């Protein structure tokens, strides 16, 4: 009986305190470790492959890289507080100055079929890799929003030995995400940009074209960052746009009257974002350069640690959608100084959507040069000559 009474007695206070303290300490440690593992601390700058991957590559391995450091002439690395920016500038110093801004998942290599011919026609051309792409470093602790991308353009312009600023300082060509960036830059600095050319531009992509589930996954913070990075990297490594093309073909083969984006084709930010690397309509007849661009994306996944974090932050913060206020400012520009080129078969920047949403914001066809060219979202490098002809027409060049 006495033994049973002792069992019913409360434990001694020191022992209870020790158990509670141990439990709390263990719980805090587990939470901290889990948070560190799944939501890592962000670095200020994630170095690009020129300083991380290239030192360990042999000469033969460097020669096999699909996007080499000397892909364009006039290469330089611009040191900034956000990390180094890879810039290329070439062409006659007294020529028409043209700055290019590329898209979300590739490097500036995708614009070679437009940039090089323009330089050969006497233009002074400048291209650069967006932060986290190509050979540019990736800022790790700031959002990839309009503020960052406009700042990057200013840093690039300031790096030139020539004057690119002031009234009508240069002509600006933006492709895909680069089109959204270029539009917002021009709305912010209207006097600096003599003419603006938008190629399949982001900025007014309808939000309903992205599924609710995908928007929730990327923007809510529910999915741990490391898990989301792993999923994004895995999806980017798959044959780019393969599932997109299957969905597009399936919707049409079934005779559906519902646009692909409103039925099956709207569930993955990654799928629609990487259309710039491959033409989903002409899938069987890929060009050699399309394959080269795809290899470059895969190489970046393996060798640019900042690529996936930059891509994800861009999806969350960049001017892809809802940029109506910026675009309204463009309507104030002098008539004939803004051009928009859209791909006939583009399933991301859809010509019907943009004709309905963007054209009125820009002041209508009397105010803007509006053309549809052959190809899909990646027409700047699958149908470069067609895009060039429209640019020559816009500028009055022969």
């Amino acid at each position: 009986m006495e033994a049973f009474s002792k069992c019913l007695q409360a434990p001694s206070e020191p022992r209870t305190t020790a158990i509670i303290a141990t439990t709390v300490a263990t719980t805090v440690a587990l939470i901290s470790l889990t948070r560190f593992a799944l939501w890592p601390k962000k670095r200020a700058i994630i170095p690009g492959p020129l300083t991380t991957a290239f030192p360990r590559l042999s000469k033969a391995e460097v020669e096999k890289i699909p996007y080499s450091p000397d892909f364009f002439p006039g290469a330089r690395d611009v040191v900034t507080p956000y990390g180094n920016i890879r810039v290329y500038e070439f062409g006659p110093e007294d020529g028409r100055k043209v700055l290019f801004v590329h898209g979300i998942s590739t490097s500036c290599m995708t614009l070679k079929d437009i940039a090089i011919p323009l330089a050969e026609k006497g233009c002074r051309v400048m291209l650069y890799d967006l932060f986290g792409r190509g050979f540019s470093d990736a800022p790790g602790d700031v959002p990839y929003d309009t503020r960052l991308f406009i700042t990057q353009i200013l840093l690039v312009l300031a790096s030139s030995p020539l004057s690119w600023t002031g009234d009508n300082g240069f002509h600006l060509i933006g492709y895909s995400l680069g089109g959204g960036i270029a539009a917002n830059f021009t709305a912010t600095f209207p006097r600096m940009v003599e003419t603006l050319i938008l190629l399949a531009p982001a900025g007014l992509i309808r939000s309903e074209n992205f599924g609710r589930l995908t928007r929730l996954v990327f923007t809510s913070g529910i999915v741990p960052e490391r898990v989301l990075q792993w999923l994004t990297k895995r999806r980017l490594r798959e044959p780019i746009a393969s599932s997109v093309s299957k969905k597009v073909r399936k919707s049409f083969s079934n005779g559906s009257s519902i646009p692909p984006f409103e039925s099956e084709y709207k569930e993955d930010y990654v799928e629609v974002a990487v259309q710039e690397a491959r033409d989903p309509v002409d899938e069987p007849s890929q060009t050699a350069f399309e394959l080269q661009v795809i290899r470059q994306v895969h190489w970046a996944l393996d060798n640019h640690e900042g690529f996936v974090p930059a891509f994800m932050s861009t999806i969350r913060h960049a001017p892809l959608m809802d940029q109506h206020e910026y675009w309204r400012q463009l309507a104030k520009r002098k008539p004939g100084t803004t051009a928009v080129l859209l791909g006939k078969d583009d399933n991301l920047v859809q010509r019907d959507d943009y004709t309905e949403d963007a054209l009125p914001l820009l002041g209508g066809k009397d105010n803007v040069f509006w053309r549809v060219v052959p190809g899909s979202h990646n027409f700047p490098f699958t149908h470069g000559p067609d895009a060039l002809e429209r640019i020559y027409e816009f500028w009055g060049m022969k």
Side-chain angles (χ1 to χ4, degrees), residues 116-165:
I116 291 178
L118 286 180
E120 292 172 347
K121 271 191 170 289
C123 294
R124 180 70 171 182
V125 168
M126 186 151 61
L127 307 95
Y128 67 98
D129 290 331
L130 291 170
F131 284 128
R133 281 79 169 182
F135 298 123
S136 291
D137 294 344
D141 59 351
V142 295
Y144 281 63
D145 57 10
T146 290
R147 297 169 298 176
L148 178 67
F149 289 122
I150 285 182
T151 299
Q152 186 176 17
I153 290 179
L154 294 173
L155 292 168
V156 168
L157 296 176
S159 73
S160 175
L162 306 179
S163 175
W164 282 70
T165 56

Side-chain angles (χ1 to χ4, degrees), residues 228-274:
L228 192 55
Q229 285 186 15
W230 180 82
L231 292 172
T232 302
K233 186 173 183 178
R234 180 181 178 185
R235 177 62 189 90
L236 283 167
R237 194 178 295 282
E238 294 175 11
I240 291 178
S242 59
S243 60
V244 170
S245 60
K246 292 175 183 176
K247 291 178 181 179
V248 171
R249 289 197 303 271
K250 182 178 178 182
S251 65
F252 285 111
S253 64
N254 289 343
S256 172
S257 61
I258 303 174
F261 260 53
E262 296 180 10
S263 54
E264 301 166 20
Y265 178 53
K266 63 172 188 178
E267 280 304 319
D268 194 340
Y269 269 125
V270 181
E271 285 182 357
V272 296
V274 299

Side-chain angles (χ1 to χ4, degrees), residues 87-133:
V87 179
Y88 305 90
E89 184 176 355
F90 54 97
E93 292 188 0
D94 59 349
R96 179 194 302 251
K97 295 183 177 69
V98 186
L99 177 69
F100 287 85
V101 189
H102 68 84
I104 188 172
S105 63
T106 57
S107 69
C108 64
M109 68 183 289
T110 54
L111 294 165
K112 78 174 183 69
D113 289 343
I114 299 176
I116 291 178
L118 286 180
E120 292 172 347
K121 271 191 170 289
C123 294
R124 180 70 171 182
V125 168
M126 186 151 61
L127 307 95
Y128 67 98
D129 290 331
L130 291 170
F131 284 128
R133 281 79 169 182

Side-chain angles (χ1 to χ4, degrees), residues 16-320:
T16 302
T17 302
I19 293 174
I20 293 174
T22 302
T23 302
V24 170
T26 302
T27 302
V28 170
L30 287 174
I31 292 174
S32 299
L33 288 172
T34 302
R35 181 176 178 81
F36 175 78
L38 298 180
W39 286 275
K41 183 179 179 181
K42 296 181 178 180
R43 288 182 282 170
I45 297 173
I46 305 174
L50 287 177
T51 55
T52 58
F54 271 74
R56 54 183 169 80
L57 297 178
S58 66
K59 183 179 180 180
E61 289 173 323
V62 170
E63 291 176 351
K64 294 179 180 179
I65 294 174
Y67 171 50
S68 63
D70 58 352
F71 190 87
F72 293 108
R76 64 176 178 266
D77 292 305
V78 180
V79 180
T80 81
Y82 298 92
N84 291 355
I85 304 173
R86 187 66 168 184
V87 179
Y88 305 90
E89 184 176 355
F90 54 97
E93 292 188 0
D94 59 349
R96 179 194 302 251
K97 295 183 177 69
V98 186
L99 177 69
F100 287 85
V101 189
H102 68 84
I104 188 172
S105 63
T106 57
S107 69
C108 64
M109 68 183 289
T110 54
L111 294 165
K112 78 174 183 69
D113 289 343
I114 299 176
I116 291 178
L118 286 180
E120 292 172 347
K121 271 191 170 289
C123 294
R124 180 70 171 182
V125 168
M126 186 151 61
L127 307 95
Y128 67 98
D129 290 331
L130 291 170
F131 284 128
R133 281 79 169 182
F135 298 123
S136 291
D137 294 344
D141 59 351
V142 295
Y144 281 63
D145 57 10
T146 290
R147 297 169 298 176
L148 178 67
F149 289 122
I150 285 182
T151 299
Q152 186 176 17
I153 290 179
L154 294 173
L155 292 168
V156 168
L157 296 176
S159 73
S160 175
L162 306 179
S163 175
W164 282 70
T165 56
D167 289 354
N168 296 323
F170 65 98
H171 304 259
L172 182 55
I173 299 179
Y175 163 50
S176 192
L177 166 65
I181 295 169
N184 290 9
F185 181 91
T186 304
T188 306
F189 301 101
R191 295 172 56 182
M192 195 183 299
V193 179
E194 185 169 352
T195 64
L196 170 67
I197 300 177
L198 304 175
L199 311 177
L204 297 179
I205 301 173
R206 293 181 177 179
S207 59
E208 61 265 25
N209 290 348
F210 300 110
R212 292 182 180 179
L213 177 59
T214 299
R215 278 182 281 166
L216 179 66
V217 167
F218 268 91
T219 61
S220 66
I222 294 175
V223 180
E225 194 73 3
R226 286 193 189 275
V227 174
L228 192 55
Q229 285 186 15
W230 180 82
L231 292 172
T232 302
K233 186 173 183 178
R234 180 181 178 185
R235 177 62 189 90
L236 283 167
R237 194 178 295 282
E238 294 175 11
I240 291 178
S242 59
S243 60
V244 170
S245 60
K246 292 175 183 176
K247 291 178 181 179
V248 171
R249 289 197 303 271
K250 182 178 178 182
S251 65
F252 285 111
S253 64
N254 289 343
S256 172
S257 61
I258 303 174
F261 260 53
E262 296 180 10
S263 54
E264 301 166 20
Y265 178 53
K266 63 172 188 178
E267 280 304 319
D268 194 340
Y269 269 125
V270 181
E271 285 182 357
V272 296
V274 299
Q275 282 195 56
E276 66 190 49
R278 179 174 172 181
D279 189 337
V281 174
D282 299 326
E283 183 183 1
S285 56
Q286 289 175 274
T287 66
F289 189 60
E290 280 182 280
L291 294 172
Q292 186 177 349
V293 171
I294 293 171
R295 291 197 304 272
Q296 191 274 325
V297 173
H298 291 169
W299 190 89
L301 288 170
D302 293 328
N303 296 279
H304 197 324
E305 189 180 346
F307 174 49
V308 172
F311 180 91
M312 290 168 53
S313 183
T314 301
I315 290 293
R316 291 172 176 142
H317 304 291
L320 301 174

Side-chain angles (χ1 to χ4, degrees), residues 200-201 204-206 208-209 252 257-262 327 340-361 365 370-373 375:
L204 297 179
I205 301 173
R206 293 181 177 179
E208 61 265 25
N209 290 348
F252 285 111
S257 61
I258 303 174
F261 260 53
E262 296 180 10
W327 284 60
V340 177
L341 306 187
L342 302 173
K344 178 177 177 291
D345 300 309
D346 194 337
N347 293 304
L348 175 57
V349 178
Q350 299 186 42
R351 54 175 174 159
D352 291 341
D353 288 355
Y354 268 60
T355 300
E356 181 179 341
D357 300 341
L359 188 55
L361 289 176
K365 289 188 176 180
W370 192 272
R371 296 290 187 273
V372 176
V373 299

